Amino acid sequence: MSIIQVYKCLCDEQRLRILNLLKEGPLCVCHLQELLGEGQVKISKQLRYMKELGMVEARREANWMIYSLPQPTNPLLIENLQCLQDCAAEDLHFANDLKERAKLLKAAQHSEGGLPESVACGAGCCE
Amino acid sequence: MSIIQVYKCLCDEQRLRILNLLKEGPLCVCHLQELLGEGQVKISKQLRYMKELGMVEARREANWMIYSLPQPTNPLLIENLQCLQDCAAEDLHFANDLKERAKLLKAAQHSEGGLPESVACGAGCCE
DNA sequence: ACAGAATATTCATTTAAAAGAATATTCAAA
DNA sequence: TTTGAATATTCTTTTAAATGAATATTCTGT
């Protein structure tokens, strides 16, 4: 994956928000959809684009597709997400997205549908 | 200048190299041209693009146009240039560009044409 | 006023990314 | 074996960026 490709990936607000969310832990498409307030098709396309670049990876779990950041995560990406926290968190809804993520996961966990196993509060949601 | 615009600017190898060079100090178009081994028109267009985004600024000095990074420089840019030094310096010719820059300025300074005043070894070239 | 150096602009073409609408695939559970 | 939930793909249109060729502008020195 080239440097240029990484930056191309970072050129889109939705993708930045997705990366920020995935940094906290894996999520499935429908959660991203809900958190970004965006249609399924568009999210799916973004994820495909990102997957082709190797910026995210996916695995199926029952009906869900679980997306996550590959480990170890590209240092250029980490740096940028960190820097964005500091210098553009508000513009990008970063902080709020994370708050909503926690809420959403907590709620989903206690609902009938439940959560995909590897999403379930995996990373610092419920304790 | 939006975050997204910054990343769009970083999506191109030539622009990255230009920014890396300007980080050391102002340069005129013909020096960039020579350092990147690229035609005048293309460099000029890149600079225009970057100027419109506010990523660089320009002033005229006699026949030369001197380009530089605006002060204070966008932290997102600084971070990225720094990170690229660490994780992609070779891919992007970063280190070599800086070496060539020093050579070029030193040579130009002692030639008949001379150097635009504000370029002249301004930043750590000759001592 | 003219010539030459340094730089910029314009216009046409190509290439790549984004957006939208419609539809298809995959799996689980009844 | 059909239904519904979750997700993906295909195709078309629109928008934006890159490339190339030609030409224009701005300033300096004569």
Side-chain angles (χ1 to χ4, degrees):
Chain A
M1 170 176 41
S2 86
I3 303 297
I4 302 304
Q5 298 297 311
V6 174
Y7 283 124
K8 284 199 175 147
C9 184
L10 302 182
C11 273
D12 179 275
E13 180 169 337
Q14 279 190 349
R15 291 196 290 263
L16 285 176
R17 289 175 69 187
I18 291 173
L19 291 168
N20 178 57
L21 282 162
L22 294 185
K23 186 155 150 276
E24 297 293 306
L27 282 176
C28 59
V29 181
C30 59
H31 289 155
L32 288 170
Q33 208 178 319
E34 190 164 343
L35 290 166
L36 300 203
E38 182 58 76
Q40 181 265 318
V41 167
K42 202 159 167 218
I43 298 287
S44 222
K45 279 180 180 170
Q46 296 284 27
L47 290 167
R48 180 190 193 183
Y49 177 94
M50 295 164 87
K51 196 169 79 173
E52 273 166 4
L53 293 185
M55 299 285 290
V56 302
E57 43 186 37
R59 66 175 178 290
R60 179 176 281 281
E61 200 166 301
N63 254 336
W64 293 289
M65 289 296 286
I66 313 295
Y67 283 85
S68 54
L69 298 186
Q71 302 297 332
T73 305
N74 187 326
L76 191 56
L77 174 57
I78 301 277
E79 284 259 356
N80 273 281
L81 290 176
Q82 185 52 54
C83 183
L84 287 176
Q85 297 277 10
D86 303 337
C87 77
E90 289 184 33
D91 280 359
L92 296 168
H93 312 111
F94 268 18
N96 196 57
D97 281 351
L98 295 189
K99 219 165 29 182
E100 292 301 320
R101 168 187 174 277
K103 252 197 249 171
L104 177 66
L105 293 190
K106 198 167 297 192
Q109 194 180 35
H110 302 121
S111 76
E112 41 227 299
L115 274 177
E117 191 174 349
S118 50
V119 169
C121 292
C125 165
C126 307
E127 65 285 11
Chain B
M1 169 176 40
S2 86
I3 304 295
I4 302 304
Q5 298 297 311
V6 175
Y7 283 124
K8 284 198 176 149
C9 185
L10 302 181
C11 273
D12 180 274
E13 179 169 337
Q14 278 190 351
R15 290 195 290 262
L16 285 175
R17 290 175 71 188
I18 291 174
L19 291 168
N20 178 57
L21 281 162
L22 294 185
K23 186 155 151 275
E24 296 293 307
L27 282 175
C28 60
V29 181
C30 59
H31 288 154
L32 288 170
Q33 207 179 321
E34 190 163 343
L35 290 166
L36 301 202
E38 182 58 75
Q40 180 265 319
V41 168
K42 201 159 169 220
I43 298 287
S44 221
K45 279 180 182 171
Q46 296 283 30
L47 289 168
R48 181 193 191 178
Y49 178 94
M50 295 165 86
K51 196 170 78 173
E52 272 167 6
L53 293 184
M55 299 285 289
V56 302
E57 45 185 38
R59 66 176 178 289
R60 179 175 282 280
E61 200 165 300
N63 255 336
W64 294 289
M65 289 296 286
I66 313 294
Y67 283 85
S68 54
L69 299 186
Q71 301 298 331
T73 306
N74 185 326
L76 191 56
L77 174 57
I78 301 276
E79 284 261 356
N80 272 281
L81 290 176
Q82 185 52 55
C83 183
L84 287 176
Q85 297 278 9
D86 303 336
C87 78
E90 289 186 33
D91 281 359
L92 296 168
H93 312 109
F94 268 19
N96 195 59
D97 281 351
L98 295 189
K99 216 161 36 175
E100 292 302 320
R101 169 188 175 276
K103 250 196 251 173
L104 177 66
L105 293 190
K106 198 167 297 191
Q109 194 180 35
H110 301 122
S111 76
E112 41 227 297
L115 273 177
E117 190 173 351
S118 50
V119 169
C121 293
C125 166
C126 307
E127 65 287 10

